[in-house]
Amino acid sequence: MARSLKCFPLAWLLLALTSGCGNAVYAVQASSAASKLEEAKELGAEELAPYEYYLALEHMKKAREEAAKADYSDAINYAEVSEENAEKAIRLSRDAHRGAGR
């Protein structure tokens, strides 16, 4: 029984992906990307890692546009790229803070 409970979240995710629940998957991905964008902004990524920050921001905007058109596959992809670039912006900003002795 314990093993079947551990597999439940994976089964739920697979069901969501295959049953047209792209909006749920998008919501999770977009939330994660938005959190990373906020963290990057708080670290000053607009100035310390502008390319990565604004690339993440624009991909997030595009993800929202695609989701509004119910094109969840593209929306998820844009949100993933947004999150990846936000993570880069966070890393670069932290490195800049360390280098400045903060």
mmCIF file of all heavy atoms in Angstrom, residues 41-72:
data_model
loop_
_atom_site.group_PDB
_atom_site.id
_atom_site.type_symbol
_atom_site.label_atom_id
_atom_site.label_comp_id
_atom_site.label_asym_id
_atom_site.label_seq_id
_atom_site.Cartn_x
_atom_site.Cartn_y
_atom_site.Cartn_z
ATOM 1 N N LYS A 41 14.400 39.875 -9.271
ATOM 2 C CA LYS A 41 14.185 41.321 -9.154
ATOM 3 C C LYS A 41 14.658 41.828 -7.798
ATOM 4 O O LYS A 41 15.301 42.876 -7.708
ATOM 5 C CB LYS A 41 12.713 41.650 -9.372
ATOM 6 C CG LYS A 41 12.432 43.130 -9.369
ATOM 7 C CD LYS A 41 11.000 43.429 -9.730
ATOM 8 C CE LYS A 41 10.812 44.932 -9.809
ATOM 9 N NZ LYS A 41 9.568 45.297 -10.446
ATOM 10 N N GLU A 42 14.342 41.091 -6.747
ATOM 11 C CA GLU A 42 14.754 41.480 -5.400
ATOM 12 C C GLU A 42 16.277 41.530 -5.260
ATOM 13 O O GLU A 42 16.807 42.310 -4.474
ATOM 14 C CB GLU A 42 14.159 40.530 -4.365
ATOM 15 C CG GLU A 42 12.673 40.690 -4.191
ATOM 16 C CD GLU A 42 12.062 39.633 -3.283
ATOM 17 O OE1 GLU A 42 12.816 38.833 -2.680
ATOM 18 O OE2 GLU A 42 10.826 39.606 -3.186
ATOM 19 N N LEU A 43 16.972 40.698 -6.030
ATOM 20 C CA LEU A 43 18.431 40.664 -5.991
ATOM 21 C C LEU A 43 19.072 41.728 -6.882
ATOM 22 O O LEU A 43 20.282 41.838 -6.937
ATOM 23 C CB LEU A 43 18.944 39.282 -6.396
ATOM 24 C CG LEU A 43 18.711 38.164 -5.389
ATOM 25 C CD1 LEU A 43 18.995 36.809 -6.024
ATOM 26 C CD2 LEU A 43 19.582 38.375 -4.163
ATOM 27 N N GLY A 44 18.242 42.488 -7.586
ATOM 28 C CA GLY A 44 18.760 43.543 -8.449
ATOM 29 C C GLY A 44 19.180 43.067 -9.825
ATOM 30 O O GLY A 44 20.025 43.679 -10.480
ATOM 31 N N ALA A 45 18.580 41.996 -10.291
ATOM 32 C CA ALA A 45 18.954 41.422 -11.582
ATOM 33 C C ALA A 45 18.678 42.360 -12.749
ATOM 34 O O ALA A 45 19.319 42.240 -13.793
ATOM 35 C CB ALA A 45 18.221 40.092 -11.805
ATOM 36 N N GLU A 46 17.774 43.314 -12.558
ATOM 37 C CA GLU A 46 17.508 44.277 -13.634
ATOM 38 C C GLU A 46 18.782 45.013 -14.027
ATOM 39 O O GLU A 46 18.975 45.331 -15.203
ATOM 40 C CB GLU A 46 16.436 45.276 -13.205
ATOM 41 C CG GLU A 46 15.067 44.641 -13.063
ATOM 42 C CD GLU A 46 14.083 45.566 -12.381
ATOM 43 O OE1 GLU A 46 14.293 45.864 -11.189
ATOM 44 O OE2 GLU A 46 13.115 45.976 -13.051
ATOM 45 N N GLU A 47 19.652 45.240 -13.057
ATOM 46 C CA GLU A 47 20.916 45.927 -13.328
ATOM 47 C C GLU A 47 22.098 44.964 -13.389
ATOM 48 O O GLU A 47 23.037 45.183 -14.147
ATOM 49 C CB GLU A 47 21.185 46.978 -12.254
ATOM 50 C CG GLU A 47 20.224 48.139 -12.300
ATOM 51 C CD GLU A 47 20.519 49.183 -11.232
ATOM 52 O OE1 GLU A 47 21.590 49.103 -10.606
ATOM 53 O OE2 GLU A 47 19.668 50.056 -11.041
ATOM 54 N N LEU A 48 22.062 43.910 -12.582
ATOM 55 C CA LEU A 48 23.206 43.010 -12.475
ATOM 56 C C LEU A 48 23.224 41.900 -13.530
ATOM 57 O O LEU A 48 24.291 41.392 -13.855
ATOM 58 C CB LEU A 48 23.249 42.391 -11.074
ATOM 59 C CG LEU A 48 23.394 43.385 -9.937
ATOM 60 C CD1 LEU A 48 23.194 42.703 -8.594
ATOM 61 C CD2 LEU A 48 24.751 44.078 -10.007
ATOM 62 N N ALA A 49 22.063 41.529 -14.022
ATOM 63 C CA ALA A 49 21.953 40.486 -15.053
ATOM 64 C C ALA A 49 20.795 40.851 -15.981
ATOM 65 O O ALA A 49 19.810 40.114 -16.092
ATOM 66 C CB ALA A 49 21.737 39.125 -14.405
ATOM 67 N N PRO A 50 20.892 42.009 -16.637
ATOM 68 C CA PRO A 50 19.748 42.504 -17.407
ATOM 69 C C PRO A 50 19.319 41.594 -18.558
ATOM 70 O O PRO A 50 18.122 41.434 -18.791
ATOM 71 C CB PRO A 50 20.215 43.863 -17.915
ATOM 72 C CG PRO A 50 21.697 43.812 -17.864
ATOM 73 C CD PRO A 50 22.035 42.902 -16.724
ATOM 74 N N TYR A 51 20.266 41.009 -19.263
ATOM 75 C CA TYR A 51 19.894 40.155 -20.395
ATOM 76 C C TYR A 51 19.031 38.988 -19.918
ATOM 77 O O TYR A 51 17.946 38.741 -20.445
ATOM 78 C CB TYR A 51 21.143 39.638 -21.123
ATOM 79 C CG TYR A 51 20.812 38.689 -22.240
ATOM 80 C CD1 TYR A 51 20.402 39.171 -23.475
ATOM 81 C CD2 TYR A 51 20.879 37.310 -22.058
ATOM 82 C CE1 TYR A 51 20.072 38.304 -24.502
ATOM 83 C CE2 TYR A 51 20.557 36.439 -23.078
ATOM 84 C CZ TYR A 51 20.151 36.940 -24.304
ATOM 85 O OH TYR A 51 19.818 36.070 -25.314
ATOM 86 N N GLU A 52 19.513 38.286 -18.913
ATOM 87 C CA GLU A 52 18.797 37.114 -18.415
ATOM 88 C C GLU A 52 17.468 37.510 -17.776
ATOM 89 O O GLU A 52 16.457 36.841 -17.966
ATOM 90 C CB GLU A 52 19.663 36.349 -17.414
ATOM 91 C CG GLU A 52 20.864 35.668 -18.013
ATOM 92 C CD GLU A 52 22.048 36.596 -18.305
ATOM 93 O OE1 GLU A 52 21.993 37.803 -17.946
ATOM 94 O OE2 GLU A 52 23.025 36.114 -18.891
ATOM 95 N N TYR A 53 17.474 38.602 -17.029
ATOM 96 C CA TYR A 53 16.256 39.034 -16.355
ATOM 97 C C TYR A 53 15.161 39.403 -17.358
ATOM 98 O O TYR A 53 14.031 38.923 -17.263
ATOM 99 C CB TYR A 53 16.530 40.226 -15.423
ATOM 100 C CG TYR A 53 15.271 40.740 -14.775
ATOM 101 C CD1 TYR A 53 14.721 40.075 -13.692
ATOM 102 C CD2 TYR A 53 14.613 41.862 -15.275
ATOM 103 C CE1 TYR A 53 13.541 40.522 -13.108
ATOM 104 C CE2 TYR A 53 13.439 42.311 -14.696
ATOM 105 C CZ TYR A 53 12.912 41.636 -13.618
ATOM 106 O OH TYR A 53 11.739 42.066 -13.052
ATOM 107 N N TYR A 54 15.525 40.242 -18.321
ATOM 108 C CA TYR A 54 14.500 40.683 -19.274
ATOM 109 C C TYR A 54 14.098 39.579 -20.248
ATOM 110 O O TYR A 54 12.948 39.544 -20.703
ATOM 111 C CB TYR A 54 14.941 41.959 -19.993
ATOM 112 C CG TYR A 54 14.850 43.153 -19.067
ATOM 113 C CD1 TYR A 54 15.989 43.731 -18.526
ATOM 114 C CD2 TYR A 54 13.616 43.660 -18.685
ATOM 115 C CE1 TYR A 54 15.900 44.805 -17.642
ATOM 116 C CE2 TYR A 54 13.514 44.724 -17.804
ATOM 117 C CZ TYR A 54 14.666 45.291 -17.292
ATOM 118 O OH TYR A 54 14.554 46.341 -16.413
ATOM 119 N N LEU A 55 15.005 38.668 -20.527
ATOM 120 C CA LEU A 55 14.640 37.511 -21.346
ATOM 121 C C LEU A 55 13.609 36.664 -20.602
ATOM 122 O O LEU A 55 12.603 36.230 -21.181
ATOM 123 C CB LEU A 55 15.884 36.689 -21.691
ATOM 124 C CG LEU A 55 15.703 35.559 -22.691
ATOM 125 C CD1 LEU A 55 15.204 36.090 -24.034
ATOM 126 C CD2 LEU A 55 17.030 34.829 -22.877
ATOM 127 N N ALA A 56 13.843 36.464 -19.312
ATOM 128 C CA ALA A 56 12.886 35.715 -18.490
ATOM 129 C C ALA A 56 11.546 36.438 -18.420
ATOM 130 O O ALA A 56 10.477 35.824 -18.546
ATOM 131 C CB ALA A 56 13.451 35.509 -17.090
ATOM 132 N N LEU A 57 11.593 37.748 -18.243
ATOM 133 C CA LEU A 57 10.377 38.546 -18.141
ATOM 134 C C LEU A 57 9.550 38.479 -19.428
ATOM 135 O O LEU A 57 8.329 38.269 -19.387
ATOM 136 C CB LEU A 57 10.733 39.992 -17.814
ATOM 137 C CG LEU A 57 9.580 40.937 -17.521
ATOM 138 C CD1 LEU A 57 8.823 40.493 -16.280
ATOM 139 C CD2 LEU A 57 10.113 42.353 -17.346
ATOM 140 N N GLU A 58 10.209 38.621 -20.556
ATOM 141 C CA GLU A 58 9.487 38.584 -21.833
ATOM 142 C C GLU A 58 8.924 37.196 -22.128
ATOM 143 O O GLU A 58 7.825 37.075 -22.676
ATOM 144 C CB GLU A 58 10.382 39.063 -22.968
ATOM 145 C CG GLU A 58 10.719 40.539 -22.897
ATOM 146 C CD GLU A 58 9.475 41.430 -22.870
ATOM 147 O OE1 GLU A 58 8.535 41.203 -23.649
ATOM 148 O OE2 GLU A 58 9.449 42.366 -22.044
ATOM 149 N N HIS A 59 9.647 36.155 -21.764
ATOM 150 C CA HIS A 59 9.117 34.799 -21.951
ATOM 151 C C HIS A 59 7.906 34.562 -21.041
ATOM 152 O O HIS A 59 6.964 33.884 -21.430
ATOM 153 C CB HIS A 59 10.197 33.748 -21.714
ATOM 154 C CG HIS A 59 11.033 33.482 -22.917
ATOM 155 N ND1 HIS A 59 12.095 34.279 -23.280
ATOM 156 C CD2 HIS A 59 10.937 32.529 -23.869
ATOM 157 C CE1 HIS A 59 12.621 33.815 -24.387
ATOM 158 N NE2 HIS A 59 11.937 32.762 -24.778
ATOM 159 N N MET A 60 7.932 35.136 -19.853
ATOM 160 C CA MET A 60 6.778 35.007 -18.963
ATOM 161 C C MET A 60 5.562 35.715 -19.547
ATOM 162 O O MET A 60 4.444 35.202 -19.503
ATOM 163 C CB MET A 60 7.124 35.569 -17.580
ATOM 164 C CG MET A 60 6.123 35.240 -16.497
ATOM 165 S SD MET A 60 6.154 33.505 -16.036
ATOM 166 C CE MET A 60 4.558 33.008 -16.576
ATOM 167 N N LYS A 61 5.778 36.891 -20.120
ATOM 168 C CA LYS A 61 4.672 37.617 -20.768
ATOM 169 C C LYS A 61 4.093 36.790 -21.905
ATOM 170 O O LYS A 61 2.871 36.694 -22.065
ATOM 171 C CB LYS A 61 5.152 38.969 -21.293
ATOM 172 C CG LYS A 61 5.443 39.982 -20.220
ATOM 173 C CD LYS A 61 5.955 41.272 -20.836
ATOM 174 C CE LYS A 61 6.393 42.284 -19.806
ATOM 175 N NZ LYS A 61 6.957 43.498 -20.422
ATOM 176 N N LYS A 62 4.973 36.206 -22.708
ATOM 177 C CA LYS A 62 4.516 35.393 -23.841
ATOM 178 C C LYS A 62 3.790 34.141 -23.350
ATOM 179 O O LYS A 62 2.789 33.727 -23.938
ATOM 180 C CB LYS A 62 5.710 35.019 -24.727
ATOM 181 C CG LYS A 62 5.317 34.329 -25.997
ATOM 182 C CD LYS A 62 4.518 35.228 -26.906
ATOM 183 C CE LYS A 62 4.237 34.528 -28.221
ATOM 184 N NZ LYS A 62 3.298 35.244 -29.058
ATOM 185 N N ALA A 63 4.271 33.558 -22.258
ATOM 186 C CA ALA A 63 3.593 32.391 -21.684
ATOM 187 C C ALA A 63 2.167 32.745 -21.291
ATOM 188 O O ALA A 63 1.226 31.993 -21.561
ATOM 189 C CB ALA A 63 4.369 31.875 -20.475
ATOM 190 N N ARG A 64 1.997 33.915 -20.692
ATOM 191 C CA ARG A 64 0.653 34.349 -20.288
ATOM 192 C C ARG A 64 -0.246 34.587 -21.496
ATOM 193 O O ARG A 64 -1.433 34.264 -21.466
ATOM 194 C CB ARG A 64 0.755 35.603 -19.426
ATOM 195 C CG ARG A 64 1.345 35.319 -18.067
ATOM 196 C CD ARG A 64 1.468 36.555 -17.219
ATOM 197 N NE ARG A 64 2.035 36.224 -15.919
ATOM 198 C CZ ARG A 64 2.951 36.933 -15.310
ATOM 199 N NH1 ARG A 64 3.410 38.051 -15.847
ATOM 200 N NH2 ARG A 64 3.428 36.561 -14.141
ATOM 201 N N GLU A 65 0.336 35.148 -22.559
ATOM 202 C CA GLU A 65 -0.441 35.354 -23.789
ATOM 203 C C GLU A 65 -0.917 34.025 -24.364
ATOM 204 O O GLU A 65 -2.079 33.896 -24.764
ATOM 205 C CB GLU A 65 0.404 36.074 -24.845
ATOM 206 C CG GLU A 65 0.675 37.520 -24.572
ATOM 207 C CD GLU A 65 1.614 38.131 -25.608
ATOM 208 O OE1 GLU A 65 1.783 37.551 -26.704
ATOM 209 O OE2 GLU A 65 2.189 39.198 -25.319
ATOM 210 N N GLU A 66 -0.015 33.061 -24.412
ATOM 211 C CA GLU A 66 -0.375 31.748 -24.966
ATOM 212 C C GLU A 66 -1.412 31.053 -24.092
ATOM 213 O O GLU A 66 -2.322 30.411 -24.606
ATOM 214 C CB GLU A 66 0.875 30.881 -25.128
ATOM 215 C CG GLU A 66 1.868 31.408 -26.148
ATOM 216 C CD GLU A 66 1.296 31.549 -27.549
ATOM 217 O OE1 GLU A 66 0.559 30.649 -28.000
ATOM 218 O OE2 GLU A 66 1.583 32.574 -28.201
ATOM 219 N N ALA A 67 -1.280 31.182 -22.790
ATOM 220 C CA ALA A 67 -2.253 30.571 -21.888
ATOM 221 C C ALA A 67 -3.627 31.211 -22.069
ATOM 222 O O ALA A 67 -4.654 30.531 -22.009
ATOM 223 C CB ALA A 67 -1.795 30.695 -20.441
ATOM 224 N N ALA A 68 -3.650 32.512 -22.306
ATOM 225 C CA ALA A 68 -4.922 33.204 -22.523
ATOM 226 C C ALA A 68 -5.629 32.694 -23.770
ATOM 227 O O ALA A 68 -6.851 32.735 -23.851
ATOM 228 C CB ALA A 68 -4.691 34.704 -22.626
ATOM 229 N N LYS A 69 -4.849 32.196 -24.724
ATOM 230 C CA LYS A 69 -5.424 31.621 -25.947
ATOM 231 C C LYS A 69 -5.648 30.118 -25.807
ATOM 232 O O LYS A 69 -5.983 29.456 -26.773
ATOM 233 C CB LYS A 69 -4.499 31.880 -27.140
ATOM 234 C CG LYS A 69 -4.325 33.347 -27.474
ATOM 235 C CD LYS A 69 -3.533 33.545 -28.748
ATOM 236 C CE LYS A 69 -2.088 33.150 -28.577
ATOM 237 N NZ LYS A 69 -1.250 33.478 -29.748
ATOM 238 N N ALA A 70 -5.437 29.596 -24.598
ATOM 239 C CA ALA A 70 -5.573 28.171 -24.293
ATOM 240 C C ALA A 70 -4.584 27.311 -25.080
ATOM 241 O O ALA A 70 -4.837 26.148 -25.331
ATOM 242 C CB ALA A 70 -7.003 27.686 -24.509
ATOM 243 N N ASP A 71 -3.453 27.883 -25.436
ATOM 244 C CA ASP A 71 -2.387 27.123 -26.090
ATOM 245 C C ASP A 71 -1.382 26.753 -24.996
ATOM 246 O O ASP A 71 -0.322 27.346 -24.876
ATOM 247 C CB ASP A 71 -1.731 27.962 -27.187
ATOM 248 C CG ASP A 71 -0.785 27.146 -28.046
ATOM 249 O OD1 ASP A 71 -0.511 25.973 -27.686
ATOM 250 O OD2 ASP A 71 -0.307 27.672 -29.057
ATOM 251 N N TYR A 72 -1.778 25.776 -24.191
ATOM 252 C CA TYR A 72 -1.017 25.461 -22.988
ATOM 253 C C TYR A 72 0.329 24.828 -23.264
ATOM 254 O O TYR A 72 1.269 25.015 -22.494
ATOM 255 C CB TYR A 72 -1.849 24.600 -22.046
ATOM 256 C CG TYR A 72 -3.051 25.348 -21.542
ATOM 257 C CD1 TYR A 72 -4.335 24.995 -21.932
ATOM 258 C CD2 TYR A 72 -2.894 26.446 -20.708
ATOM 259 C CE1 TYR A 72 -5.430 25.705 -21.483
ATOM 260 C CE2 TYR A 72 -3.977 27.166 -20.259
ATOM 261 C CZ TYR A 72 -5.251 26.794 -20.649
ATOM 262 O OH TYR A 72 -6.328 27.503 -20.213
#
